[in-house]
Amino acid sequence: MLKALKIRLYPNKAQAIQINKLLGCYRFVYNQCLERKINSYKENETSENLSTLGHFFHNELTKDEKYSWLKEQNTKVLKQSIRDLLDAYSHFFNEHKGFPKYKSKHDNKQSCRFPLEAISKRNDYSTHRLSLANIHNIKFKCSDEYVNYLVKNKDGIRSATLSRNCSEQYYLSILVDGDFRKKLKATDSAVGIDLGIKDFVVTSEGECFSNLHFKKSEVNKLKKLQRQLSRKQKGSNNRNKARIKLAKLNEKIRNRKLNYLHEISNSLLDENQIIVMEDLNVKGMVKNHKMAESISEMNFGEFRRMLEYKALWYGRDIVYVDRFYPSSKKCNHCGYINNVLKLSDRQWVCPVCGEIIERDYNAALNILEEGLRIIGSRTPEFTLVDYPTMDDKLGNKVLKSSDRMKQEIETHKFL
């Protein structure tokens, strides 16, 4: 199974210059081939393929004296930009992800991909040094677990992606084909989780993971750095320094948030075989401008993605409950549905059974109950079946979330 290991690179000044030159050449070849492909379609209504673009690269770009600096870079790496361009076209036609755009040197993130042939086979990752194409002996840092995995699965390396973020930090994502599955303790337990704003995750076992508000805790620093950046003259070195300071603070906030999401997802997967959660439409929910910032702050989409790929790694199961299921309104004791429940009602008393209900905990219990019903049993001893991830598309029918009433229903249920 393929896994990408992201490691931090620490190039010296000479190596950083080489990397930046490579990123610039990679971007240049991509843009030239994109322009060639667009003009070819306008003139002849024909589409350039890998062979014709490769011929254009070798016989026109590299042989032109104006572009002699392209010869300093590894040809196999530059040709990978052509493959990336064709992949972008494929995504445009097949997945409707948007027409390929020209790459700019002013973009916050720059990247290039190294095929297997451009990665030195002499790399001994145990020394925390590696070589890529014509850039040699680059220092890197990562966990001991990653180092051991790279040494063990050195022959399974398939490609690597070099990137520079807006903080001018360099990273390398290495794609490795190997056995990395972590053996978790066997368990038959299942848990339902309810996502919210006040508390990020509340489980059916009563465990609560608070919303730590990483961005709100740094809001004063962010405003100060943004004011400093806005006062600097565009194009000056001082403006670039202010931009880097602001980017580093945003990077720090993001890293803290991702670390917290990893802790929660690992905790849930370590202790439970099955995790049941609502199939929330986050894109529709953030259209509620009063709560959009709070919803986006904890990155629910990334949390769901983490649960999905880690469940695949560790052999756990994720079950999704319909987004319109009344998890917050339904009394878990008697089944009464409170249709007049407000967003501000954190507790309510069931008029049928008299039970005092904690909103989020009650929702988690109902989500678990519905999830067990979906897989065919309400006892811990059940036969697991594959349950497909719900999507907005059901056959030819598309669920649209732009309707105001639906947004209010989803937001009401979400809290």
Side-chain angles (χ1 to χ4, degrees):
M1 187 177 289
L2 295 175
K3 181 180 181 180
L5 306 180
K6 190 174 182 179
I7 61 179
R8 172 82 180 273
L9 300 181
Y10 291 88
N12 56 35
K13 290 185 178 180
Q15 292 170 341
I17 292 174
Q18 287 182 293
I19 291 175
N20 291 332
K21 285 183 178 180
L22 176 60
L23 293 174
C25 293
Y26 196 90
R27 183 178 62 248
F28 175 79
V29 173
Y30 182 95
N31 290 340
Q32 290 294 315
C33 290
L34 177 57
E35 183 178 8
R36 169 75 176 236
K37 199 169 174 64
I38 293 174
N39 293 336
S40 175
Y41 184 80
K42 287 181 178 179
E43 295 172 2
N44 308 317
E45 293 189 358
T46 58
S47 180
E48 301 279 350
N49 55 27
L50 180 61
S51 177
T52 55
L53 289 177
H55 184 272
F56 166 71
F57 169 73
H58 283 291
N59 295 281
E60 296 188 35
L61 288 182
T62 57
K63 291 186 179 181
D64 194 329
E65 292 299 327
K66 294 188 298 182
Y67 310 133
S68 59
W69 34 268
L70 288 176
K71 298 179 181 179
E72 300 176 6
Q73 307 302 329
N74 188 292
T75 303
K76 296 175 181 177
V77 178
L78 297 183
K79 287 188 68 176
Q80 186 64 47
S81 66
I82 302 177
R83 296 188 181 92
D84 290 346
L85 172 63
L86 296 178
D87 288 342
Y89 262 91
S90 177
H91 293 158
F92 167 68
F93 285 108
N94 299 330
E95 303 175 19
H96 308 288
K97 288 191 174 180
F99 190 78
K101 297 180 180 179
Y102 289 99
K103 295 183 181 292
S104 170
K105 65 179 181 180
H106 301 294
D107 290 343
N108 290 333
K109 185 177 180 180
Q110 303 285 336
S111 64
C112 67
R113 196 142 55 100
F114 292 80
L116 179 60
E117 300 80 11
I119 303 174
S120 176
K121 296 182 179 179
R122 298 181 180 180
N123 284 335
D124 183 7
Y125 299 97
S126 60
T127 62
H128 290 268
R129 301 272 179 172
L130 56 83
S131 297
L132 298 168
N134 58 343
I135 309 174
H136 304 288
N137 204 28
I138 308 174
K139 183 180 178 181
F140 72 89
K141 288 184 179 181
C142 64
S143 65
D144 292 338
E145 180 182 357
Y146 277 15
V147 171
N148 295 333
Y149 185 78
L150 287 171
V151 173
K152 181 181 177 181
N153 300 279
K154 181 179 177 181
D155 296 333
I157 295 177
R158 295 291 175 262
S159 64
T161 302
L162 175 65
S163 61
R164 186 191 70 200
N165 62 15
C166 53
S167 304
E168 296 192 357
Q169 299 171 340
Y170 298 90
Y171 291 92
L172 187 70
S173 180
I174 305 175
L175 186 64
V176 186
D177 185 4
D179 185 13
F180 60 88
R181 295 189 179 185
K182 178 182 176 182
K183 293 183 179 180
L184 302 179
K185 62 180 180 180
T187 178
D188 292 330
S189 63
V191 66
I193 61 174
D194 178 65
L195 302 181
I197 295 177
K198 181 178 180 294
D199 295 312
F200 177 55
V201 175
V202 177
T203 71
S204 57
E205 297 176 352
E207 189 176 7
C208 177
F209 297 93
S210 301
N211 188 343
L212 300 185
H213 299 289
F214 296 104
K215 187 174 182 179
K216 288 184 179 180
S217 62
E218 301 285 353
V219 66
N220 291 331
K221 290 183 180 179
L222 286 171
K223 289 181 178 180
K224 179 180 178 181
L225 292 177
Q226 287 167 348
R227 284 197 301 269
Q228 292 177 356
L229 177 63
S230 65
R231 292 168 181 166
K232 300 296 187 293
Q233 184 179 358
K234 291 185 177 180
S236 65
N237 288 332
N238 285 335
R239 183 180 177 86
N240 187 50
K241 292 177 183 178
R243 181 192 62 80
I244 293 175
K245 286 183 180 180
L246 179 60
K248 285 184 176 180
L249 180 57
N250 283 315
E251 186 77 12
K252 176 183 176 181
I253 295 171
R254 179 178 178 274
N255 289 338
R256 290 178 62 195
K257 179 170 61 177
L258 289 179
N259 182 66
Y260 187 53
L261 297 182
H262 279 296
E263 289 179 357
I264 298 174
S265 58
N266 290 338
S267 175
L268 293 173
L269 290 167
D270 286 345
E271 300 173 0
N272 302 281
Q273 175 62 37
I274 291 182
I275 297 175
V276 187
M277 62 186 298
E278 286 182 298
D279 183 39
L280 297 173
N281 182 13
V282 180
K283 288 184 178 180
M285 295 168 60
V286 295
K287 293 180 180 180
N288 184 329
H289 300 292
K290 293 183 179 180
M291 292 180 294
E293 183 177 1
S294 298
I295 292 173
S296 302
E297 185 179 22
M298 285 307 297
N299 206 338
F300 297 118
E302 178 65 18
F303 180 67
R304 171 172 172 165
R305 190 184 72 88
M306 282 183 183
L307 287 176
E308 288 177 346
Y309 74 72
K310 289 182 181 181
L312 181 63
W313 289 354
Y314 306 144
R316 303 304 201 196
D317 297 273
I318 308 293
V319 178
Y320 293 100
V321 172
D322 183 19
R323 63 186 61 166
F324 296 108
Y325 178 72
S327 57
S328 298
K329 298 178 181 180
K330 182 180 178 181
C331 175
N332 183 257
H333 295 270
C334 65
Y336 170 78
I337 297 180
N338 184 1
N339 290 318
V340 296
L341 188 67
K342 299 178 181 179
L343 294 177
S344 58
D345 296 335
R346 308 315 302 176
Q347 286 184 344
W348 56 282
V349 179
C350 178
V352 176
C353 64
E355 187 72 22
I356 300 176
I357 296 174
E358 181 68 31
R359 182 193 185 100
D360 295 337
Y361 177 59
N362 176 71
L365 291 173
N366 287 327
I367 290 170
L368 175 60
E369 182 179 352
E370 178 66 9
L372 295 179
R373 186 195 65 78
I374 290 173
I375 60 177
S377 176
R378 299 184 58 165
T379 64
E381 299 176 358
F382 47 75
T383 302
L384 299 180
V385 296
D386 291 332
Y387 183 74
T389 302
M390 294 185 63
D391 198 358
D392 286 347
K393 297 181 179 180
L394 301 176
N396 295 325
K397 184 177 180 182
V398 180
L399 298 177
K400 297 183 179 179
S401 59
S402 59
D403 184 70
R404 183 179 183 87
M405 182 178 295
K406 180 179 175 182
Q407 294 175 27
E408 293 177 354
I409 292 173
E410 288 179 350
T411 309
H412 185 83
K413 180 184 67 174
F414 176 74
L415 291 177

